[in-house]
Amino acid sequence: MSLVVVGSMAFDAIETPFGKIDKIIGGSATYVSWAASNFTQPIKQVSIIGGDFPQEELDALAAKGVDFEGVEILKDEKSFFWSGRYHMDMNTRDTLVTDLNVLAHFDPQIPENYQGCDILMLGNLVPAVQISVIEQMRTRPRLIVMDTMNFWMETAMEDLQRALKMVDVLMVNDSEARQLSGEYSLVKAAMKIQKMGPQYLIIKKGEHGALLFHKSNVFFAPALPLDDVFDPTGAGDTFAGGFVGHLARTKDISFENMKTGIIVGSAMASFCVEQFGPNKLKEISSHDIHARIEEFVDLVNFDISLV
Ligand code: AMP
């Protein structure tokens, strides 16, 4: 199944209790593609970068089957820059800087070659841009997956609600699900959010795993207990990349297969957090991925005899 990925490509500065880095490659689309390219190729990317974005980073992704025809390069401008600082628990972070730079002019034009895609992954971006991409697709993709964040709930709620009506799967974290629905119970929140449009809802809970809701069905995938979480930046996007990559590889968008998809997403996210930025994702092999997925199977497998 063909996959189009839309999102930011960025420079990030990250501070965690374990270290600090002033400039590293990031962006929602970058992480999605690093993860998904282990399962499906080509990946047709839609984004915007400045002349400062390193050619070797584009080359490394191109070698993983990422197509940049839909990535606009504004030679004389700067790429999107984001900076964040994590608290000791690593589940919460403060955004220190968001310099939109080229993202401020982002008006993606979908190349002809991207038409007819099966899965459209809308990484975290301004909802009006997410809508514009959906509207440019002449045939509706079989599955539209969307990520978003609290920032858009506060600044672009009307557009966000319009976007929600157009997508099949929404991915948010637990606090965003509560904010969007006004419900503390995640079960009630899931019911309300499904009424806003998406038939499937994935709620990410960081080190506490992820929940998949569809109608009255719920599935839970734990996060792998790791010795050290070094940097959680991009874990959500990496999860999304593993999820859509798995669906594209298996050509199956059923609820049953989405359950496996969230295990694959969780496995990919567990690599992401082990090093700064996407560094770990750049070095893993398919052998590492299989071994990690096996660890998940062992983690949740148990025998029980009912009395
Ligand atoms: P995550 O940790 O999964 O939420 O993703 C972090 C990535 O999202 C970073 O690499 C940032 O460059 C990117 N990012 C942060 N804020 C935004 C935003 N407002 N729009 C698009 N991308 C963003």
Side-chain angles (χ1 to χ4, degrees), residues 8 10-12 26-28 31 80 82 86 93 98 103 124-125 149 151-152 232-237:
S8 55
F11 286 118
D12 290 344
S28 52
Y31 283 102
F80 175 66
W82 174 84
Y86 289 86
R93 73 179 175 207
T98 301
L103 260 193
N124 177 29
L125 264 184
M149 70 189 294
F151 181 70
W152 308 121
T233 307
D237 308 311

Side-chain angles (χ1 to χ4, degrees), residues 156-183:
M157 192 54 169
E158 247 175 63
D159 283 344
L160 179 60
Q161 278 177 332
R162 219 155 64 78
L164 286 174
K165 290 197 177 71
M166 303 168 94
V167 305
D168 304 300
V169 184
L170 177 71
M171 290 186 179
V172 283
N173 67 32
D174 45 355
S175 71
E176 290 158 351
R178 290 183 171 119
Q179 184 169 346
L180 185 59
S181 63
E183 293 285 352

Side-chain angles (χ1 to χ4, degrees), residues 14 27 67 84 87 104 119 124 141 148 151 156 160 182 198 222 224 253 266 269 306:
I14 305 164
D67 178 347
H87 298 203
I119 302 181
N124 177 29
T148 190
F151 181 70
L160 179 60
L224 198 67
I253 56 170
S266 303
L306 296 174

